Amino acid sequence: MSSQDPTPEKRIIPINRSLHKHALLMGAERDLVMYAALVSFVLAIGGKTLLSAGVAVVFWIGSVFLLQIMGRSDPQKSKVWRRQNALQTEYPAKSTPWRR
């Protein structure tokens, strides 16, 4: 790089993959897997029958399967969805808060 060159040379900085891993549990979002486990546990214990335990196991396996598919497409899909729902549907065109 010469002193005459107006654009400096770009620096390439490698980022290790371990520095930005998502918190996944069983290949899905950790929070959603824990909520599914809680729901299936309550369903199994609350029903107190073999049928409710069977339904809880089927729910658990199905929900983890669907959550893994969701986790492969976007590891933070539920957080993005929550943030999107928190936004307003329309922002009025006003230049300042005091304008009417």
Side-chain angles (χ1 to χ4, degrees), residues 25-97:
L25 179 66
M26 298 173 61
E29 283 188 69
R30 183 180 177 274
D31 297 341
L32 298 180
V33 171
M34 298 299 275
Y35 291 144
L38 178 67
V39 168
S40 62
F41 179 74
V42 168
L43 181 63
I45 298 299
K48 295 182 184 176
T49 63
L50 286 176
L51 178 64
S52 66
V55 169
V57 168
V58 169
F59 173 76
W60 167 251
I61 292 171
S63 63
V64 168
F65 174 72
L66 293 175
L67 290 172
Q68 284 176 347
I69 292 172
M70 192 174 86
R72 273 185 240 126
S73 68
D74 185 6
Q76 294 182 336
K77 189 172 270 191
S78 70
K79 293 178 181 71
V80 171
W81 179 76
R82 274 190 234 132
R83 187 174 47 234
Q84 176 187 357
N85 285 343
L87 295 175
Q88 294 180 11
T89 56
E90 179 182 339
Y91 290 94
K94 294 181 180 177
S95 60
T96 66

